[in-house]
Amino acid sequence: MTSVAIVYHSGYGHTKAIAEAVNKGVASVAGVTVHFMSVADADTQWETLAKADAIIFGAPTYMGSASAPMKAFMDATSKVWFTMGWKDKIAAGFTVSSAQSGDKLSTLNQFVTFAMQHGMIWIGTGMMPGNSNSKGSVDDLNRIGSATGLMSQANADQGVEGIAASDFKTAEVFGARVAQFAVKNAA
Amino acid sequence: MTSVAIVYHSGYGHTKAIAEAVNKGVASVAGVTVHFMSVADADTQWETLAKADAIIFGAPTYMGSASAPMKAFMDATSKVWFTMGWKDKIAAGFTVSSAQSGDKLSTLNQFVTFAMQHGMIWIGTGMMPGNSNSKGSVDDLNRIGSATGLMSQANADQGVEGIAASDFKTAEVFGARVAQFAVKNAA
Amino acid sequence: MTSVAIVYHSGYGHTKAIAEAVNKGVASVAGVTVHFMSVADADTQWETLAKADAIIFGAPTYMGSASAPMKAFMDATSKVWFTMGWKDKIAAGFTVSSAQSGDKLSTLNQFVTFAMQHGMIWIGTGMMPGNSNSKGSVDDLNRIGSATGLMSQANADQGVEGIAASDFKTAEVFGARVAQFAVKNAA
Amino acid sequence: MTSVAIVYHSGYGHTKAIAEAVNKGVASVAGVTVHFMSVADADTQWETLAKADAIIFGAPTYMGSASAPMKAFMDATSKVWFTMGWKDKIAAGFTVSSAQSGDKLSTLNQFVTFAMQHGMIWIGTGMMPGNSNSKGSVDDLNRIGSATGLMSQANADQGVEGIAASDFKTAEVFGARVAQFAVKNAA
């Protein structure tokens, strides 16, 4: 079995909901076991992470970069970094904020830089942008138009019900893509 | 008079239309003269640029960064850079692409880095994100939710008519903000 | 008096030492009061920050971005952001890591994005790169070659004695530049 | 045979020299054919690129991002992008400038964003930073300390003789890493 871990932080539940949709996409791929963990639990999961073939990182974008609890987890991985313990694992990322664009790319780039320090291999959405021509709409896959990782948008004054159905669907497709590549790479 | 230059590249007219809206906003500020120039003409404008108090850079985002003609202009400024001729001028930037987010932040960050090499002072939109809660819509100012510079979105299969009215209005407000700060800073 | 605040996090003392050199540079400018604070103390300093004309942010680069305690401070500023309480203040940043380049630019860009969300005005080093030709050396000002903010390098196996004298001098010059612009802008 | 293409722009020969060292590293891996091309020739090489398993992009950092001729090549790939013709190919990047750090990360991030738009898979150096402790020196592998891609430094007033031997060696190791992963991924 190929092992894919999802490590996320969620402040108000939006990122957790997107993480679950990513999880669903990963789990839909034959031959894959998913390990789903909040950064609050990650501290007990170093062995699971050490054995993972791929790790997907997710966090809300707060003030233009990954949330502080996510960053605390990232800093804690420096022990792994010293031994290059995650070298050549697959990495991917997702982020959520209330703005449509709203510096989400900054968070995804932060994840790329982090993964590169670990010697990991980065995979993005592989999707064309949705909602980018006169026939498009917010119902399109990848409606925000992101390539480096998954971008989702959640209204600031709502709970999970304020996230578009297309964002959940995009998250599933994204999760499946990462898992398929992890299976291929682990072969 | 405070002098504000707008240097843009436009491939299909969308960025030019946004540049004109920025121009309108700049020109609305008392005590300001605007110098509006395409990068095609910039080569004859080095003296104007040398005297400008502020320079606003604009280009479409092509393949994740500023268009090649814009980059050719940026590279040509290396002669100015050697003498730090633009040091302490005000700088700002805008970009247009068909995707909602679509790596526009990458282009704006590219402009920031460029301006910093010139020793310039960077000013962003100063606007809260629009269209980020349940009462929001694409009619909001700053509907894309950008802080570092102006982001506009133009449908890939349309001309200027495919740009939202809110994007033109946002461009005007942005231009006025840059001009007001240029006036203050030149005092 | 023009008020300049320095808000830093330091894990092992290197960043604090650089922060003190920045402080020295700021304090060398006539008409300036400096407020020097660790993020550990920043929570009691919101009023001081609210009155500051400029804020300089500093943190080590850990795993490719600002350290988690710095990020926790940045996230805590979201209350200020809701009211745009720091709009039009001057902002600048510095970072330290053991690698020469080592993704320090990633941290500086993170500070830029953060400052832009607050509607602040960003000022960089305004310095040409040192140590970039055959006559150059590590004794040069700006030996790392940074424009967006101050980059310092500290050997991983040493304390403050492992930081080059040129880095301390560069930090002073940088602090003075930010303070001078703050004075001009406050006039 | 696994096919690895190197597409580079070189203004004064420094980047070409580094590209050749990357080439040497790629060619050292069993089962690999290298296609080495300047962007000046890339226009006749679309079929070769279409068949490549991996593409390594290289350019000098000019004014904070990839040189304009490199960007012109990148923009020309938009035709490939429309059909996602490079999806799932391996991508990597390198850059050269006279400063030690000097916004080289900005160019590498630009390549990452570009590769992600193409749906490619990104691989970095996988190397720990050199010259980052008291026993280190400029003779170390990865002396600049880069993870996202290869960073080399060339003195502004010298030709290829102004590039450290360690940078050529680092380029070889980097090329070999990309090629090894391409072989594995093509299997």
PDB file of all heavy atoms in Angstrom, chain D residues 125-148:
ATOM      1  N   THR D 125      17.086  20.882  -5.177  1.00  0.00           N
ATOM      2  CA  THR D 125      18.459  20.403  -5.056  1.00  0.00           C
ATOM      3  C   THR D 125      18.579  19.183  -4.142  1.00  0.00           C
ATOM      4  O   THR D 125      19.498  18.380  -4.300  1.00  0.00           O
ATOM      5  CB  THR D 125      19.389  21.497  -4.483  1.00  0.00           C
ATOM      6  OG1 THR D 125      18.989  21.786  -3.134  1.00  0.00           O
ATOM      7  CG2 THR D 125      19.341  22.767  -5.316  1.00  0.00           C
ATOM      8  N   GLY D 126      17.700  19.084  -3.169  1.00  0.00           N
ATOM      9  CA  GLY D 126      17.823  17.986  -2.200  1.00  0.00           C
ATOM     10  C   GLY D 126      19.113  18.037  -1.405  1.00  0.00           C
ATOM     11  O   GLY D 126      19.553  17.039  -0.832  1.00  0.00           O
ATOM     12  N   MET D 127      19.730  19.215  -1.356  1.00  0.00           N
ATOM     13  CA  MET D 127      21.027  19.363  -0.660  1.00  0.00           C
ATOM     14  C   MET D 127      20.880  20.235   0.578  1.00  0.00           C
ATOM     15  O   MET D 127      20.188  21.241   0.553  1.00  0.00           O
ATOM     16  CB  MET D 127      22.043  20.073  -1.567  1.00  0.00           C
ATOM     17  CG  MET D 127      22.427  19.330  -2.814  1.00  0.00           C
ATOM     18  SD  MET D 127      23.672  20.331  -3.749  1.00  0.00           S
ATOM     19  CE  MET D 127      23.325  19.745  -5.418  1.00  0.00           C
ATOM     20  N   MET D 128      21.585  19.891   1.623  1.00  0.00           N
ATOM     21  CA  MET D 128      21.714  20.756   2.775  1.00  0.00           C
ATOM     22  C   MET D 128      22.539  21.988   2.356  1.00  0.00           C
ATOM     23  O   MET D 128      23.338  21.909   1.429  1.00  0.00           O
ATOM     24  CB  MET D 128      22.454  20.037   3.905  1.00  0.00           C
ATOM     25  CG  MET D 128      21.767  18.782   4.392  1.00  0.00           C
ATOM     26  SD  MET D 128      20.217  19.099   5.273  1.00  0.00           S
ATOM     27  CE  MET D 128      20.833  19.489   6.923  1.00  0.00           C
ATOM     28  N   PRO D 129      22.367  23.111   3.038  1.00  0.00           N
ATOM     29  CA  PRO D 129      23.171  24.289   2.712  1.00  0.00           C
ATOM     30  C   PRO D 129      24.633  24.101   3.091  1.00  0.00           C
ATOM     31  O   PRO D 129      24.935  23.550   4.154  1.00  0.00           O
ATOM     32  CB  PRO D 129      22.533  25.406   3.542  1.00  0.00           C
ATOM     33  CG  PRO D 129      21.740  24.727   4.603  1.00  0.00           C
ATOM     34  CD  PRO D 129      21.352  23.382   4.075  1.00  0.00           C
ATOM     35  N   GLY D 130      25.524  24.543   2.233  1.00  0.00           N
ATOM     36  CA  GLY D 130      26.939  24.593   2.568  1.00  0.00           C
ATOM     37  C   GLY D 130      27.286  25.938   3.183  1.00  0.00           C
ATOM     38  O   GLY D 130      26.438  26.815   3.291  1.00  0.00           O
ATOM     39  N   ASN D 131      28.530  26.077   3.590  1.00  0.00           N
ATOM     40  CA  ASN D 131      29.059  27.344   4.112  1.00  0.00           C
ATOM     41  C   ASN D 131      28.133  28.001   5.134  1.00  0.00           C
ATOM     42  O   ASN D 131      27.904  29.212   5.084  1.00  0.00           O
ATOM     43  CB  ASN D 131      29.340  28.314   2.948  1.00  0.00           C
ATOM     44  CG  ASN D 131      30.275  29.456   3.362  1.00  0.00           C
ATOM     45  OD1 ASN D 131      30.957  29.377   4.392  1.00  0.00           O
ATOM     46  ND2 ASN D 131      30.305  30.511   2.561  1.00  0.00           N
ATOM     47  N   SER D 132      27.632  27.202   6.057  1.00  0.00           N
ATOM     48  CA  SER D 132      26.664  27.719   7.027  1.00  0.00           C
ATOM     49  C   SER D 132      27.082  27.454   8.473  1.00  0.00           C
ATOM     50  O   SER D 132      26.294  27.608   9.391  1.00  0.00           O
ATOM     51  CB  SER D 132      25.291  27.086   6.761  1.00  0.00           C
ATOM     52  OG  SER D 132      25.360  25.671   6.879  1.00  0.00           O
ATOM     53  N   ASN D 133      28.333  27.047   8.651  1.00  0.00           N
ATOM     54  CA  ASN D 133      28.838  26.960  10.024  1.00  0.00           C
ATOM     55  C   ASN D 133      30.331  27.291  10.029  1.00  0.00           C
ATOM     56  O   ASN D 133      30.912  27.581   8.975  1.00  0.00           O
ATOM     57  CB  ASN D 133      28.553  25.579  10.645  1.00  0.00           C
ATOM     58  CG  ASN D 133      29.185  24.456   9.850  1.00  0.00           C
ATOM     59  OD1 ASN D 133      30.373  24.527   9.492  1.00  0.00           O
ATOM     60  ND2 ASN D 133      28.414  23.432   9.545  1.00  0.00           N
ATOM     61  N   SER D 134      30.923  27.244  11.207  1.00  0.00           N
ATOM     62  CA  SER D 134      32.283  27.765  11.338  1.00  0.00           C
ATOM     63  C   SER D 134      33.311  26.925  10.583  1.00  0.00           C
ATOM     64  O   SER D 134      34.415  27.398  10.306  1.00  0.00           O
ATOM     65  CB  SER D 134      32.660  27.834  12.828  1.00  0.00           C
ATOM     66  OG  SER D 134      32.657  26.529  13.384  1.00  0.00           O
ATOM     67  N   LYS D 135      32.941  25.684  10.250  1.00  0.00           N
ATOM     68  CA  LYS D 135      33.864  24.837   9.483  1.00  0.00           C
ATOM     69  C   LYS D 135      33.628  24.945   7.986  1.00  0.00           C
ATOM     70  O   LYS D 135      34.374  24.373   7.187  1.00  0.00           O
ATOM     71  CB  LYS D 135      33.729  23.378   9.944  1.00  0.00           C
ATOM     72  CG  LYS D 135      34.292  23.145  11.339  1.00  0.00           C
ATOM     73  CD  LYS D 135      33.703  21.895  11.968  1.00  0.00           C
ATOM     74  CE  LYS D 135      33.752  21.964  13.477  1.00  0.00           C
ATOM     75  NZ  LYS D 135      32.499  22.536  14.086  1.00  0.00           N
ATOM     76  N   GLY D 136      32.578  25.648   7.598  1.00  0.00           N
ATOM     77  CA  GLY D 136      32.225  25.763   6.187  1.00  0.00           C
ATOM     78  C   GLY D 136      33.083  26.777   5.438  1.00  0.00           C
ATOM     79  O   GLY D 136      33.808  27.563   6.032  1.00  0.00           O
ATOM     80  N   SER D 137      32.976  26.735   4.119  1.00  0.00           N
ATOM     81  CA  SER D 137      33.690  27.700   3.281  1.00  0.00           C
ATOM     82  C   SER D 137      32.997  27.776   1.929  1.00  0.00           C
ATOM     83  O   SER D 137      32.076  27.002   1.647  1.00  0.00           O
ATOM     84  CB  SER D 137      35.140  27.261   3.084  1.00  0.00           C
ATOM     85  OG  SER D 137      35.217  26.269   2.071  1.00  0.00           O
ATOM     86  N   VAL D 138      33.482  28.665   1.095  1.00  0.00           N
ATOM     87  CA  VAL D 138      32.910  28.792  -0.249  1.00  0.00           C
ATOM     88  C   VAL D 138      33.244  27.585  -1.115  1.00  0.00           C
ATOM     89  O   VAL D 138      32.740  27.471  -2.235  1.00  0.00           O
ATOM     90  CB  VAL D 138      33.394  30.084  -0.951  1.00  0.00           C
ATOM     91  CG1 VAL D 138      32.863  31.315  -0.213  1.00  0.00           C
ATOM     92  CG2 VAL D 138      34.909  30.122  -1.057  1.00  0.00           C
ATOM     93  N   ASP D 139      34.071  26.702  -0.613  1.00  0.00           N
ATOM     94  CA  ASP D 139      34.369  25.472  -1.359  1.00  0.00           C
ATOM     95  C   ASP D 139      33.299  24.393  -1.152  1.00  0.00           C
ATOM     96  O   ASP D 139      33.350  23.342  -1.806  1.00  0.00           O
ATOM     97  CB  ASP D 139      35.737  24.914  -0.926  1.00  0.00           C
ATOM     98  CG  ASP D 139      36.861  25.881  -1.250  1.00  0.00           C
ATOM     99  OD1 ASP D 139      36.726  26.636  -2.245  1.00  0.00           O
ATOM    100  OD2 ASP D 139      37.859  25.904  -0.513  1.00  0.00           O
ATOM    101  N   ASP D 140      32.361  24.647  -0.263  1.00  0.00           N
ATOM    102  CA  ASP D 140      31.316  23.644   0.018  1.00  0.00           C
ATOM    103  C   ASP D 140      30.368  23.480  -1.163  1.00  0.00           C
ATOM    104  O   ASP D 140      30.093  24.437  -1.890  1.00  0.00           O
ATOM    105  CB  ASP D 140      30.463  24.083   1.222  1.00  0.00           C
ATOM    106  CG  ASP D 140      31.224  24.044   2.532  1.00  0.00           C
ATOM    107  OD1 ASP D 140      32.356  23.522   2.557  1.00  0.00           O
ATOM    108  OD2 ASP D 140      30.675  24.545   3.540  1.00  0.00           O
ATOM    109  N   LEU D 141      29.837  22.296  -1.292  1.00  0.00           N
ATOM    110  CA  LEU D 141      28.701  22.079  -2.187  1.00  0.00           C
ATOM    111  C   LEU D 141      27.554  22.943  -1.692  1.00  0.00           C
ATOM    112  O   LEU D 141      27.365  23.103  -0.486  1.00  0.00           O
ATOM    113  CB  LEU D 141      28.261  20.609  -2.143  1.00  0.00           C
ATOM    114  CG  LEU D 141      28.939  19.621  -3.086  1.00  0.00           C
ATOM    115  CD1 LEU D 141      28.251  18.268  -2.966  1.00  0.00           C
ATOM    116  CD2 LEU D 141      28.907  20.107  -4.536  1.00  0.00           C
ATOM    117  N   ASN D 142      26.788  23.484  -2.621  1.00  0.00           N
ATOM    118  CA  ASN D 142      25.615  24.309  -2.293  1.00  0.00           C
ATOM    119  C   ASN D 142      25.984  25.425  -1.318  1.00  0.00           C
ATOM    120  O   ASN D 142      25.284  25.676  -0.336  1.00  0.00           O
ATOM    121  CB  ASN D 142      24.490  23.427  -1.714  1.00  0.00           C
ATOM    122  CG  ASN D 142      23.137  24.129  -1.708  1.00  0.00           C
ATOM    123  OD1 ASN D 142      22.908  25.065  -2.481  1.00  0.00           O
ATOM    124  ND2 ASN D 142      22.250  23.693  -0.845  1.00  0.00           N
ATOM    125  N   ARG D 143      27.087  26.098  -1.624  1.00  0.00           N
ATOM    126  CA  ARG D 143      27.610  27.144  -0.731  1.00  0.00           C
ATOM    127  C   ARG D 143      26.637  28.317  -0.564  1.00  0.00           C
ATOM    128  O   ARG D 143      26.693  29.044   0.428  1.00  0.00           O
ATOM    129  CB  ARG D 143      28.949  27.664  -1.257  1.00  0.00           C
ATOM    130  CG  ARG D 143      28.821  28.466  -2.555  1.00  0.00           C
ATOM    131  CD  ARG D 143      30.173  28.941  -3.072  1.00  0.00           C
ATOM    132  NE  ARG D 143      30.035  29.572  -4.370  1.00  0.00           N
ATOM    133  CZ  ARG D 143      30.146  30.892  -4.589  1.00  0.00           C
ATOM    134  NH1 ARG D 143      30.456  31.701  -3.599  1.00  0.00           N
ATOM    135  NH2 ARG D 143      29.975  31.389  -5.796  1.00  0.00           N
ATOM    136  N   ILE D 144      25.752  28.527  -1.557  1.00  0.00           N
ATOM    137  CA  ILE D 144      24.780  29.624  -1.450  1.00  0.00           C
ATOM    138  C   ILE D 144      23.618  29.204  -0.554  1.00  0.00           C
ATOM    139  O   ILE D 144      22.948  30.031   0.053  1.00  0.00           O
ATOM    140  CB  ILE D 144      24.262  30.035  -2.854  1.00  0.00           C
ATOM    141  CG1 ILE D 144      25.429  30.379  -3.795  1.00  0.00           C
ATOM    142  CG2 ILE D 144      23.292  31.206  -2.760  1.00  0.00           C
ATOM    143  CD1 ILE D 144      26.168  31.639  -3.429  1.00  0.00           C
ATOM    144  N   GLY D 145      23.382  27.904  -0.474  1.00  0.00           N
ATOM    145  CA  GLY D 145      22.338  27.413   0.429  1.00  0.00           C
ATOM    146  C   GLY D 145      20.959  27.436  -0.189  1.00  0.00           C
ATOM    147  O   GLY D 145      20.021  27.995   0.381  1.00  0.00           O
ATOM    148  N   SER D 146      20.811  26.813  -1.332  1.00  0.00           N
ATOM    149  CA  SER D 146      19.525  26.834  -2.034  1.00  0.00           C
ATOM    150  C   SER D 146      18.875  25.463  -2.057  1.00  0.00           C
ATOM    151  O   SER D 146      19.546  24.439  -2.240  1.00  0.00           O
ATOM    152  CB  SER D 146      19.726  27.323  -3.466  1.00  0.00           C
ATOM    153  OG  SER D 146      18.502  27.343  -4.155  1.00  0.00           O
ATOM    154  N   ALA D 147      17.553  25.442  -1.914  1.00  0.00           N
ATOM    155  CA  ALA D 147      16.802  24.193  -1.925  1.00  0.00           C
ATOM    156  C   ALA D 147      15.890  24.076  -3.153  1.00  0.00           C
ATOM    157  O   ALA D 147      15.783  23.021  -3.762  1.00  0.00           O
ATOM    158  CB  ALA D 147      15.964  24.086  -0.654  1.00  0.00           C
ATOM    159  N   THR D 148      15.248  25.178  -3.535  1.00  0.00           N
ATOM    160  CA  THR D 148      14.229  25.130  -4.601  1.00  0.00           C
ATOM    161  C   THR D 148      14.834  24.836  -5.965  1.00  0.00           C
ATOM    162  O   THR D 148      14.183  24.243  -6.834  1.00  0.00           O
ATOM    163  CB  THR D 148      13.449  26.462  -4.615  1.00  0.00           C
ATOM    164  OG1 THR D 148      12.825  26.635  -3.338  1.00  0.00           O
ATOM    165  CG2 THR D 148      12.387  26.479  -5.696  1.00  0.00           C
TER     166      THR D 148
END
